[in-house]
Amino acid sequence: YMFTYPGAKLLFMGSELADPLEWRHNEQLNWSLQKRPLHSGVQQLVADLNGLYRELGPLHRFGFSHQGFEWIDCNDATQSVLAFMRRDNDSFVVVVLNFTPVVRSNYRVGVPSGGVYREVFNSDSHYYQGSDVSNGRQISSDDRNWMGRPFSLNLTLPPLGAIILQLEGSDA
């Protein structure tokens, strides 16, 4: 959520290792945690998010301006799902977050452009020791108005997960 939302990013020392203990200024980080799959999965997730943040202009350009952010849906408290867009000058990414441990199948999200979308990030990937609930690499939009947008995507949302979608052919 933090990596996709506007504003400064704050990651405390050692958080990328998912250390169960608080950071201790008089001790070194518990580097042995890297040997455990769940901890190394979190470390890989943070590394990949850092790479995406650098690579995808919509995630960092206009990070402190209203023109870089647009809600798609912030009212689905019943299912605990948020959806928004991050924009730069000519491109956008769609971010959908599921804050429950329940897989959300057939979850429709409005998008501004028709075409094929790529799932460029999925926090539930097996690479991060997740359950690997995914939409596959490509999702075709439907010519169906939804959430005030002219097109929509029918998604499967991973449990306690975040996905980032990018329109194919976009130079984000």
Side-chain angles (χ1 to χ4, degrees), residues 46-62:
V46 172
D48 289 353
L49 280 170
N50 276 321
L52 274 175
Y53 185 77
R54 185 176 55 248
E55 175 188 327
L56 296 176
L59 290 180
H60 63 264
R61 287 191 198 110
F62 307 125

Side-chain angles (χ1 to χ4, degrees), residues 72-73 106-112 142-153:
I72 294 174
D73 185 22
N106 298 313
Y107 194 91
R108 190 161 294 278
V109 173
V111 291
D142 297 324
D143 191 13
R144 184 173 174 186
N145 189 319
W146 199 262
M147 299 175 175
R149 314 276 172 189
F151 301 93
S152 60
L153 301 172

Side-chain angles (χ1 to χ4, degrees), residues 3 12 25 34 45 50 56 58 66 83 95-96 98 104 117 123 125 140 149 156 160 164 168:
F3 273 83
F12 289 101
H25 68 86
Q34 292 176 306
L45 179 133
N50 276 321
L56 296 176
H66 65 89
V95 178
V96 186
N98 177 9
R104 302 280 180 210
Y117 286 75
S123 66
S125 169
S140 294
R149 314 276 172 189
T156 299
L160 298 171
I164 301 174
E168 280 286 333

Side-chain angles (χ1 to χ4, degrees), residues 1-10 49 53 58-65 68-74 82-87 93-97 99 162-164:
Y1 179 62
M2 176 185 68
F3 273 83
T4 60
Y5 205 72
K9 310 307 167 212
L10 180 61
L49 280 170
Y53 185 77
L59 290 180
H60 63 264
R61 287 191 198 110
F62 307 125
F64 296 93
S65 171
F69 179 86
E70 187 177 336
W71 283 112
I72 294 174
D73 185 22
C74 62
L82 291 177
F84 54 86
M85 282 188 293
R86 292 298 309 273
R87 297 181 171 276
V93 293
V94 173
V95 178
V96 186
L97 304 132
F99 290 98
I163 57 174
I164 301 174

Side-chain angles (χ1 to χ4, degrees), residues 98-104 122-124 131-133 157-162:
N98 177 9
F99 290 98
T100 69
V102 176
V103 174
R104 302 280 180 210
N122 182 332
S123 66
D124 193 49
S131 61
D132 220 18
V133 172
L157 305 183
L160 298 171

